[in-house]
Amino acid sequence: MKLHEYQSKRIFAEHGIPIPKGEVATSSDEAREIARKLGGPVVIKSQVLVGGRGKAGGVKVAKNVDEAEELADQILGMDIKGLTVDKVLIDEAADIREEIYLGVVIDRALQKPVVIASAEGGVEIEEVAKTNPEAIKRLPIDLPVGLMDYHARNLAYDLGLRRVFVNQFIRIVKGLYQSFIDTDASLAEINPLVIIEGEKLLAVDGKIVLDDSALYRHPELVELRDIQEETSSEREARLAGLSYVKLDGEIGCMVNGAGLAMATMDIVKYYGGAPANFLDIGGGAKSDKVAAALRIILSDSKVKGILFNIFGGITRCDEVARGILEALNAVPTDVPMVARLVGTNEEEGRQILAQANFPSASSLGEAAQKAVNLAKGA
Ligand code: GDP
Ligand code: MN
């Protein structure tokens, strides 16, 4: 789950990181009022859950209240990478001298959080990684030890920061790391962290991505979820208790179990197809869940065939077979499908499907090949 810039920066501020004064507006009148209260130039920032808002025209500096109102009016309602802007953050504008990148992510290979910093901030860090990898400094953190002052100090020297910034930088790195730990984040990022007049550091942008698997520990963060930023299929999947990730292929996959879902995607690829999604309907799924999953898969217009791969354990194959047929009544479609059911009550399950003329396969390889061929119209 992604947090908005304004939400992320509030969490950063609670951890001692300096951020600009600012407030969120949903109308240009409100934006004007906030700009008036702040006094002086302000920056109008679209609050949408994508990066590169600046380049897309979603971040603009206003010199006075009139301009603030006008720019807010322009940015509200704007479409940025498919998302409609319905909120803007009005921040005191910073007089930026230099831009630094600072982030914390999990390094899966090292099994540790790693602080990443670059003196080439502002632009996307992936870009710096391509064009100038030397400019990216990495500081892996040993979890039991944590982040010590001297780690952050060394990082500051590594970046070539001048002395006057070092102590501020240490505070900010520690605050960012603590924000990351306290929220169970998978990413906490300040880009850019800027140098402003008076030799001060300031976090003008902020981004936190929470680990969904740890959300149950943070009811207060779950409340920050912006429903409007979820696609309708993602929302439906979450409400139905399904793990769903949309992909770009044409074979919809409905599977029980995450590992089996991955194996199914692999085998679809092996036989020349491409999976349209990852979807784990979970153990013991009943027909309503199957119907919800089918609706979600079919809402993707690129899907040309659907592969059901069910391993019956707690989930009974006959229950799933009935679920598939009930779901098809509820969600009629011409998209061809094939099912492979094995495990508990598989015979019964297959019979139910056969009576309804629903194609099935006995092995996963056969099922995947059939699905790929059906999708090709063969
Ligand atoms: P992003 O494009 O979505 O990452 O949004 P950012 O908040 O990082 O803003 C993009 C760029 O706008 C930054 O890299 C800055 O160069 C610029 N920017 C952001 N805030 C300010 C500000 O307060 N003053 C000025 N002059 N520029 C700003
Ligand atoms: Mn940014």
Side-chain angles (χ1 to χ4, degrees):
M1 172 180 152
K2 293 177 185 166
L3 298 186
H4 278 296
E5 174 192 3
Y6 74 94
Q7 297 167 329
S8 306
K9 288 203 295 202
R10 276 180 202 161
I11 292 172
F12 292 164
E14 285 162 15
H15 289 83
I17 296 174
I19 62 164
K21 253 195 232 152
E23 274 179 59
V24 173
T26 53
S27 71
S28 51
D29 286 349
E30 251 183 292
R32 182 186 184 92
E33 180 53 24
I34 295 166
R36 193 191 58 75
K37 269 195 283 176
L38 290 173
V42 292
V43 54
I44 317 287
K45 313 187 73 179
S46 53
Q47 297 298 288
V48 280
L49 296 172
V50 287
R53 295 163 304 161
K55 263 193 224 156
V59 177
K60 295 248 165 73
V61 178
K63 290 192 280 300
N64 51 50
V65 287
D66 288 334
E67 237 180 73
E69 183 179 342
E70 193 180 313
L71 289 172
D73 188 50
Q74 254 177 46
I75 293 174
L76 284 164
M78 192 184 254
D79 183 280
I80 299 183
K81 300 182 183 172
L83 298 173
T84 307
V85 180
D86 61 7
K87 287 188 282 296
V88 285
L89 173 64
I90 317 294
D91 264 358
E92 261 176 358
D95 179 11
I96 299 177
R97 306 282 157 90
E98 275 175 60
E99 306 194 16
I100 296 165
Y101 174 93
L102 187 63
V104 184
V105 286
I106 297 286
D107 184 316
R108 287 170 191 275
L110 293 176
Q111 304 181 7
K112 285 174 180 170
V114 53
V115 179
I116 297 176
S118 169
E120 295 192 15
V123 289
E124 275 164 40
I125 194 71
E126 293 84 356
E127 205 43 47
V128 184
K130 268 187 235 151
T131 54
N132 190 9
E134 306 282 284
I136 297 178
K137 311 295 174 195
R138 297 167 53 87
L139 170 63
I141 308 296
D142 201 17
L143 273 169
V145 178
L147 175 67
M148 309 293 260
D149 283 21
Y150 73 92
H151 294 136
R153 187 174 299 115
N154 286 342
L155 185 61
Y157 292 141
D158 240 15
L159 281 179
L161 279 187
R162 281 184 289 129
R163 265 193 114 79
V164 37
F165 298 115
V166 172
N167 285 335
Q168 302 174 53
F169 185 76
I170 293 172
R171 260 213 4 245
I172 292 170
V173 175
K174 289 180 83 174
L176 186 65
Y177 179 72
Q178 209 51 49
S179 305
F180 175 88
I181 295 292
D182 288 355
T183 58
D184 280 313
S186 57
L187 169 79
E189 183 183 86
I190 304 172
N191 188 27
L193 173 67
V194 301
I195 296 179
I196 53 171
E197 66 162 343
E199 315 271 46
K200 289 219 168 63
L201 292 175
L202 184 69
V204 301
D205 189 13
K207 178 175 176 182
I208 293 180
V209 181
L210 301 170
D211 180 345
D212 290 345
S213 304
L215 275 180
Y216 73 97
R217 306 208 296 191
H218 305 282
E220 75 294 351
L221 295 177
V222 174
E223 280 172 26
L224 299 181
R225 188 191 299 277
D226 188 337
I227 299 286
Q228 288 167 338
E229 305 286 0
E230 251 179 343
T231 65
S232 58
S233 52
E234 281 169 344
R235 176 161 57 252
E236 196 178 349
R238 183 170 56 77
L239 294 176
L242 303 162
S243 308
Y244 170 81
V245 180
K246 194 189 159 332
L247 300 168
D248 283 332
E250 71 290 346
I251 312 282
C253 301
M254 191 183 308
V255 188
N256 65 330
L260 190 58
M262 307 265 262
T264 306
M265 288 157 55
D266 281 351
I267 204 151
V268 165
K269 261 233 118 103
Y270 180 80
Y271 284 113
N277 63 276
F278 167 94
L279 198 158
D280 172 12
I281 60 171
K286 297 278 194 294
S287 65
D288 55 336
K289 227 173 176 181
V290 177
L294 193 60
R295 241 193 328 271
I296 291 164
I297 291 178
L298 287 170
S299 70
D300 176 355
S301 60
K302 277 169 85 179
V303 169
K304 299 284 177 280
I306 300 181
L307 169 56
F308 293 81
N309 184 22
I310 303 296
F311 185 82
I314 302 168
T315 314
R316 287 165 26 214
C317 292
D318 59 314
E319 175 80 42
V320 172
R322 271 184 220 106
I324 293 175
L325 298 181
E326 273 175 42
L328 278 176
N329 275 333
V331 194
T333 172
D334 294 333
V335 174
M337 306 183 185
V338 56
R340 178 241 184 186
L341 308 177
V342 289
T344 311
N345 294 0
E346 62 177 70
E347 273 314 317
E348 214 182 321
R350 268 190 228 131
Q351 265 169 29
I352 292 170
L353 290 183
Q355 275 160 18
N357 282 327
F358 191 101
S360 56
S362 48
S363 78
L364 178 50
E366 187 193 336
Q369 269 172 293
K370 272 193 182 166
V372 171
N373 288 334
L374 286 171
K376 284 183 182 150

